[in-house]
Amino acid sequence: MASSALQVELLKIRPHTSSNLAHQKKPAQLLVALESTIQSTSGSNSTSTSISSSSSATPAPSAYFAALVTTLEGTLARNEMSLNEGDILPATLYLLAIVTPFVPPALLRSQYSTLLPILTPLLPHTNPHAPSLRSLITVLGAFISSLDSHLLDAPGVRNAFSTVVERTIDARPKVRRKAAEAVRDILSNPPPPLQAHPWRVRVSEWASTVLETQKSEPETLIHLVAFLKILVPGLIARDHVKTLTARLLALPKLSNPYLTQAAYGLLTSLLSSESDESDVDEARETASYVLEGIVASPPSKQDAELAPYWLNVLGQASIAASSLTPFSSPGMDLDSHSLSSAPQIDLPKIWNLAFTYLESTPEIRKSAEDALIQLTQCVPPLIPQPPKALLHTLNGGLTSLAYAPALGNTLRILASFIMAFSAPRSDAVKKPGAQAYFRDVVKKVGEMRVKKEFEYREGADAVFCAFARAAGVDGLLSVLPLNLVPEERLAIIFAPGRWAKITDLMVGRRGPTQTPPPARFSFLSWRRYVRIQHL
C-alpha cells in the first residue's frame, strides 16, 4: 500500500528529465538513475529473470530510502554542499522528503546512527535556502517520530527538534507550515508505551517564553499563535494552559488587530479543548480566568474585525466557567441540583454586555446572537429562578427602536432561553417555572405576531414552540387561547396518529415535534376537535 502511494508521488517527477527548469530536471534525473541502479541490483541477485522483472518494476520504499541515504553520504563526503538549483544536494533532500514518510518506522530507527550525524549538521547549512530546508524538516519529522523514548534524550535529537520548533515562527510561510506539520506529527506519535509525548512540555514552555519576550515583534507572535492553534486539542501540555492563556490575554494590549484576532481564536480553541480533556475544576478555573480578562477588555461595537472573535470567546468561556456536568447526563437528578452548588458567574453582567452588540452591523449581530445563545446554556443550573435581569433585557429588546434591526436575532435568543427550561427535569419543576417566568414576554410576542406589518413570524412561532415544550401546551394556551371557547374545553384522548396534526394546529407546522405524544391532550374545544376530524 505504501509502495503504491509512493509511486503516485514519484510518477509526478519522472516526466521532468528534460525540463528547462533545473530544480525539476535534477530530481527527475536522479530518480531515474536510482531506479536503474535498484533494478540492476535486484536483477543481478535474482535467480529468475521473469520474477526479477516483475518485482523490480516497483521498488519498495526501503530500497529508494537506502539508495538516497547512500547518495547523500557520498555527496557530503565529496563536500558537494552547494544548494543552487540543479545541484545534487537539494535534489537528494527533495527525494528523501518524498520517500521517508513511506519508510517503515522500524527501518528508520535502525538507521539512527547513520542518519543523525548527516542530517543534523545540514540544518544550519540549509537555513538560507528555503526549498532544501523544507525538505530536511520533512525528513527529520518522520525520523524523530520513529524513535524510541530512550533515544529522545540524545543531544543531537533534542537540538534538531528545537531547531524545527523555532522554524515554526520563520518569516517564510512555506517553511513555517512544514515545521508546524513536523512538530504536530512528532507530538501526535509518542513513543510506546507513553500516552503523551514528553516534548509537549518543552514546546509549551518555549511558546510561553516567546509570547513574553517578543512583544515588540507582533508578526512573530501572529505566526506563533497560528502554530499553537495547530496543536489544539491535545498537544499542548495541560500544566501550561493557564500560563499560555495569561500571555494570550495580554496580546490585545499591543493594539494590533490581526494579533488580537488570532489570540481570541486560539483562546476559543483552548477553552473548547480544555472542557473535553481536563477535569471540571481545572477547566472551570482556566475559563474563569479567561472570562475575567475578556469582560474587562470589550472591543468597540462597530469593530467588525475584533468584535465577532471577542464574542465567540465570551460565549465559550462563559459555558466552560459555568459547567458542572452535562445536563443531559443519564441518571442525573436535576430536581435535587441545588442553586448553591451551581458555579457562580456574573451572568446578568455578561448577558447585558453581549446584548449591546445587537445594535451593531448584521455580521456582529449574528456573532452576538450566537454568544447569547451560548449563554443560555448557563441557565439550567439556575432553574426555576434565573435572574430576572436576563428576561428584562430581552423584553426591552423586543420593542426598543435601537434594537429594531435585531428583532429576528432577539426572538431566536428568546426561543433558546425558553428551551433552557426544557432540561431533563420533572414537569413539576420546569413547567410552573417556565409559565411564571416567560408568561408576559410570550404574551407580548403573541401581540406582535398578529400585527400585519410584523416581519418575523417564523421567529415568533419558534418562541411559541419553545414555550409549549417548556411550559406544556396547556401553559401556551393559558397565554394564547387561540380563540378556543373556555366553557367548551374538554379533556379528549387522541390516538397517537393525530398528534402531528394537533401539534401543527397549536404550535405551528415548523415547530419541533420531538416531544413524545401525551396520552391526554387537554383544553381543546369540541368544535375544534370536530374540525380536526375532517383535515
Side-chain angles (χ1 to χ4, degrees):
M1 195 70 171
S3 180
S4 300
L6 175 59
Q7 290 302 320
V8 172
E9 298 298 322
L10 297 180
L11 188 62
K12 303 173 185 176
I13 301 174
R14 293 191 190 98
H16 296 294
T17 52
S18 302
S19 174
N20 293 327
L21 301 175
H23 71 280
Q24 293 181 347
K25 182 177 181 179
K26 190 63 177 181
Q29 290 177 336
L30 178 59
L31 175 62
V32 171
L34 290 176
E35 288 179 332
S36 176
T37 302
I38 293 171
Q39 290 175 359
S40 62
T41 303
S42 300
S44 61
N45 295 332
S46 177
T47 58
S48 170
T49 303
S50 61
I51 296 178
S52 170
S53 302
S54 61
S55 63
S56 62
T58 54
S62 56
Y64 284 107
F65 179 73
L68 286 166
V69 170
T70 300
T71 303
L72 181 59
E73 287 179 311
T75 301
L76 298 178
R78 295 190 299 272
N79 200 30
E80 297 180 8
M81 304 297 290
S82 174
L83 294 172
N84 295 325
E85 293 184 357
D87 290 325
I88 186 66
L89 182 55
T92 305
L93 291 175
Y94 176 74
L95 292 177
L96 264 176
I98 294 174
V99 171
T100 305
F102 296 97
V103 177
L107 177 58
L108 293 176
R109 283 194 298 272
S110 68
Q111 297 296 311
Y112 168 81
S113 58
T114 300
L115 292 175
L116 189 63
I118 64 175
L119 293 179
T120 52
L122 289 174
L123 277 169
H125 179 67
T126 57
N127 189 53
H129 194 268
S132 296
L133 179 59
R134 295 198 305 268
S135 298
L136 182 58
I137 287 173
T138 301
V139 176
L140 281 170
F143 170 60
I144 296 175
S145 297
S146 71
L147 299 180
D148 292 327
S149 56
H150 69 279
L151 296 176
L152 297 180
D153 294 328
V157 177
R158 289 201 310 268
N159 293 339
F161 179 73
S162 297
T163 303
V164 173
V165 171
E166 291 170 359
R167 296 281 74 79
T168 60
I169 55 174
D170 195 277
R172 296 162 289 189
K174 291 182 179 180
V175 173
R176 287 199 306 272
R177 185 172 68 251
K178 280 294 180 184
E181 291 172 353
V183 174
R184 180 197 61 199
D185 292 343
I186 291 171
L187 298 184
S188 300
N189 294 280
L194 301 179
Q195 297 299 314
H197 205 290
W199 284 353
R200 292 195 310 169
V201 175
R202 295 183 60 195
V203 174
S204 300
E205 290 175 346
W206 170 82
S208 297
T209 302
V210 174
L211 286 170
E212 182 65 23
T213 59
Q214 298 292 324
K215 291 182 178 179
S216 60
E217 300 290 340
E219 189 171 342
T220 299
L221 296 180
I222 291 173
H223 299 334
L224 175 62
V225 171
F227 162 62
L228 290 175
K229 197 166 185 180
I230 293 177
L231 302 185
V232 178
L235 300 181
I236 294 179
R238 190 175 299 168
D239 295 341
H240 290 75
V241 168
K242 189 170 183 179
T243 303
L244 283 173
T245 55
R247 302 280 194 270
L248 291 170
L249 286 171
L251 296 183
K253 298 177 183 178
L254 301 180
S255 301
N256 185 301
Y258 299 104
L259 179 58
T260 303
Q261 187 181 103
Y264 285 155
L266 178 56
L267 282 170
T268 302
S269 299
L270 279 172
L271 289 169
S272 180
S273 66
E274 275 289 285
S275 63
D276 292 339
E277 297 183 1
S278 59
D279 62 82
V280 173
D281 291 335
E282 185 179 350
R284 194 191 313 152
E285 182 182 357
T286 301
S288 299
Y289 182 79
V290 173
L291 185 60
E292 181 181 353
I294 287 294
V295 170
S297 57
S300 166
K301 296 179 182 63
Q302 305 303 323
D303 192 337
E305 291 182 339
L306 296 185
Y309 289 87
W310 179 86
L311 287 163
N312 197 8
V313 180
L314 182 70
Q316 189 66 49
S318 299
I319 291 175
S322 65
S323 295
L324 277 174
T325 52
F327 292 101
S328 59
S329 298
M332 183 175 181
D333 186 6
L334 290 172
D335 294 347
S336 63
H337 182 68
S338 66
L339 185 63
S340 61
S341 65
Q344 299 299 311
I345 65 172
D346 194 349
L347 187 57
K349 177 182 178 180
I350 299 169
W351 181 274
N352 291 334
L353 181 60
F355 200 87
T356 60
Y357 285 83
L358 289 176
E359 298 180 65
S360 189
T361 62
E363 293 77 12
I364 296 178
R365 287 203 301 268
K366 182 63 173 67
S367 297
E369 175 192 329
D370 294 340
L372 287 161
I373 287 175
Q374 286 180 307
L375 289 175
T376 63
Q377 298 180 39
C378 305
V379 171
L382 308 176
I383 292 173
Q385 290 297 328
K388 286 285 187 180
L390 307 182
L391 190 61
H392 178 75
T393 303
L394 275 173
N395 196 17
L398 290 174
T399 53
S400 171
L401 288 176
Y403 294 105
L407 182 55
N409 307 92
T410 305
L411 289 171
R412 286 189 289 271
I413 296 165
L414 177 58
S416 178
F417 190 10
I418 296 173
M419 287 300 294
F421 278 70
S422 296
R425 299 174 182 265
S426 67
D427 289 347
V429 173
K430 68 182 182 183
K431 284 190 175 182
Q435 290 174 10
Y437 193 80
F438 294 107
R439 180 182 181 88
D440 293 339
V441 71
V442 171
K443 185 175 182 179
K444 176 185 283 191
V445 174
E447 293 170 352
M448 297 168 65
R449 173 70 170 78
V450 297
K451 294 180 180 179
K452 289 185 178 181
E453 67 274 12
F454 188 72
E455 300 178 4
Y456 302 98
R457 289 182 172 82
E458 289 188 6
D461 292 344
V463 171
F464 303 149
C465 294
F467 189 66
R469 293 189 62 175
V473 177
D474 54 336
L476 176 63
L477 286 172
S478 69
V479 179
L480 304 174
L482 299 182
N483 295 322
L484 301 180
V485 182
E487 58 271 17
E488 291 187 3
R489 292 178 184 173
L490 300 173
I492 303 173
I493 299 177
F494 290 96
R498 300 194 183 278
W499 169 247
K501 290 184 179 180
I502 297 167
T503 304
D504 288 344
L505 175 67
M506 303 307 301
V507 296
R509 294 186 179 276
R510 299 193 180 202
T513 58
Q514 296 153 351
T515 304
R520 181 176 293 270
F521 192 94
S522 304
F523 303 124
L524 185 64
S525 74
W526 179 257
R527 274 180 279 180
R528 182 70 70 180
Y529 172 61
V530 172
R531 289 186 62 186
I532 290 175
Q533 306 305 304
H534 299 89
L535 291 179

